[in-house]
Amino acid sequence: MSAAYTRPQDRVPRILLIYTGGTIGMIEDSVSGALRPFDFSHLIDNVPKLEKLGYDIENISFEPPIDSSDMNPTRWKEIAQLIAERYNGYDGFVLLHGTDTMAYTASALSFMLEGLRKPVIITGSQLPIGEVRTDGEENLITAVQIAAATDTSGMPLVQEVAILFEDYLWRGNRATKMSADNFNAFKSNNFSPLAKIGLDIHFNPDALYRPAPGVPFSPRYNLDTGVMFVDLFPGLRISTLNHLLSTPGIKGIVMRTYGAGNAPTNDDFIDAIRSAVDNGLVIVNVTQCVNGGVNTRYEAGDKLASAGVTSGRDSTAEAAITKMMYLFGQGLSPEAVRYQFDLPLRGEIS
Ligand code: ASP
């Protein structure tokens, strides 16, 4: 479906709930006391209020549900296929997912679901749904409401992959897990919230993504895992760096650098980078800072750029690594991957 989709206003919203696992549906193991994923009926039985919405909600569950630490590109493909195969039958999709890798999944799906014009809202919780003070019930209900939200002409308000958590809706490929503890666990450090949740859901129309007109919905399932992170720190040995840069099977590296994209300026470091790039490795520069991005204000950043390192601009690390998997997955050459990194494909960079 490439044209604008509108929901007939005389029928109730149809929402597909996809349960992958995560804390939201976990229960305490009676022996060890550790939290482990539990089945979907346990989760849904704890949210009787969902019925009050009066929507037509169907569900699909991972069997068995997983802790999101076990999420991987094969599961992303499964999720993308689930959505693609049912794309015309639902007004919106809600993905229940653990928080640990939620930002990676959101970023990956944003690239995979090219031309998406319906909401894919990802949520989870910090406390299991069965606990008295759970944040899961509210997150789930709000996510479903957002997945059903339309403007006055019946067009979905959200036409992208987004993360709903506590008080905010964030663009999926701009979000990062910021806290292992707070209910407001996610944030976009370089982008405005898509909506603020209060008494009402206050959408921010200027922030909401719209795919370019005429781009058909064409999911891409191939991801190339020949990628890795390299995190700089003072004291990183050149021998270690060279070892990392020559890792077998690696086509691309997302390098987490200092401040505005800075790295050591000594010849050994720069020569190692330059020769890796000359040998066809794509190296993308993202900052270790939680806020801001890469610019060449300093010689230390400039030298990296002259050695052939590509700027990841204000991308999150999660978006950069999944974008790299996606671009190499399309069979692109290193030059084409570098070129595409400079373009906002799904609103992931400013
Ligand atoms: N370990 C859990 C997971 O990511 C944490 C959570 O859901 O909050 O699946």
Side-chain angles (χ1 to χ4, degrees):
M1 184 179 298
S2 60
Y5 163 81
T6 56
R7 171 163 63 83
Q9 296 298 278
D10 58 350
R11 74 156 169 78
V12 299
R14 283 194 197 122
I15 306 297
L16 182 67
L17 210 54
I18 304 172
Y19 174 50
T20 68
T23 298
I24 191 163
M26 288 187 184
I27 55 162
E28 220 174 76
D29 187 279
S30 54
V31 181
S32 67
L35 288 174
R36 62 173 169 81
F38 204 57
D39 66 20
F40 186 75
S41 59
H42 158 78
L43 191 149
I44 215 69
D45 287 351
N46 274 283
V47 199
K49 280 188 205 153
L50 260 188
E51 291 225 338
K52 286 197 184 169
L53 292 175
Y55 299 167
D56 183 356
I57 302 176
E58 286 172 34
N59 57 71
I60 295 182
S61 176
F62 270 23
E63 286 305 340
I66 60 169
D67 186 297
S68 78
S69 313
D70 286 320
M71 191 49 78
N72 59 46
T74 308
R75 305 316 295 257
W76 290 338
K77 181 177 171 185
E78 259 176 67
I79 297 168
Q81 281 175 331
L82 281 176
I83 293 171
E85 283 159 9
R86 292 157 182 81
Y87 191 71
N88 292 332
Y90 295 90
D91 301 303
F93 302 84
V94 172
L95 191 67
L96 297 172
H97 193 290
T99 57
D100 290 346
T101 59
M102 189 181 283
Y104 289 92
T105 296
S107 298
L109 290 178
S110 77
F111 297 119
M112 295 169 88
L113 299 174
E114 184 179 329
L116 181 72
R117 282 182 172 73
K118 291 187 176 182
V120 174
I121 312 298
I122 311 184
T123 195
S125 68
Q126 293 281 43
L127 281 175
I129 202 107
E131 294 214 6
V132 179
R133 290 179 52 251
T134 186
D135 50 330
E137 182 181 38
E138 201 175 299
N139 284 349
L140 171 52
I141 291 169
T142 310
V144 170
Q145 285 185 308
I146 290 173
T150 55
D151 64 16
T152 45
S153 60
M155 291 251 294
L157 275 171
V158 177
Q159 302 182 23
E160 60 184 295
V161 180
I163 290 181
L164 178 277
F165 224 84
E166 190 74 0
D167 294 332
Y168 297 97
L169 182 73
W170 305 106
R171 173 163 305 154
N173 57 32
R174 290 283 198 151
T176 295
K177 182 173 179 181
M178 299 293 292
S179 172
D181 196 48
N182 291 345
F183 283 159
N184 268 309
F186 286 84
K187 195 172 175 201
S188 292
N189 290 297
N190 288 327
F191 199 67
S192 312
L194 304 184
K196 168 89 178 76
I197 319 303
L199 289 181
D200 291 309
I201 299 167
H202 303 280
F203 288 96
N204 177 0
D206 294 337
L208 293 167
Y209 181 76
R210 292 291 178 263
V215 175
F217 177 58
S218 34
R220 318 272 173 181
Y221 301 120
N222 279 349
L223 296 173
D224 190 327
T225 52
V227 301
M228 64 189 245
F229 283 121
V230 169
D231 229 327
L232 296 189
F233 59 93
L236 173 63
R237 291 182 187 151
I238 289 298
S239 56
T240 308
L241 179 68
N242 276 322
H243 188 73
L244 293 171
L245 294 176
S246 52
T247 307
I250 291 297
K251 297 176 180 169
I253 287 178
V254 174
M255 185 172 277
R256 292 203 262 221
T257 61
Y258 310 128
N262 302 318
T265 56
N266 65 76
D267 288 348
D268 284 350
F269 185 91
I270 295 298
D271 288 347
I273 298 286
R274 183 176 293 112
S275 86
V277 172
D278 288 348
N279 285 333
L281 192 72
V282 174
I283 305 181
V284 170
N285 186 358
V286 299
T287 176
Q288 292 173 359
C289 295
V290 291
N291 176 242
V294 170
N295 64 52
T296 45
R297 268 197 303 149
Y298 298 93
E299 190 192 359
D302 225 14
K303 278 198 160 186
L304 266 192
S306 342
V309 170
T310 305
S311 172
R313 296 167 50 174
D314 61 347
S315 177
T316 62
E318 296 91 329
I321 199 92
T322 53
K323 184 171 176 175
M324 204 176 247
M325 288 184 198
Y326 164 75
L327 292 174
F328 278 119
Q330 308 318 299
L332 299 185
S333 66
E335 294 70 41
V337 170
R338 288 189 196 106
Y339 176 76
Q340 294 277 332
F341 253 97
D342 212 31
L343 306 174
L345 302 183
R346 312 280 187 267
E348 74 281 6
I349 50 175
S350 300

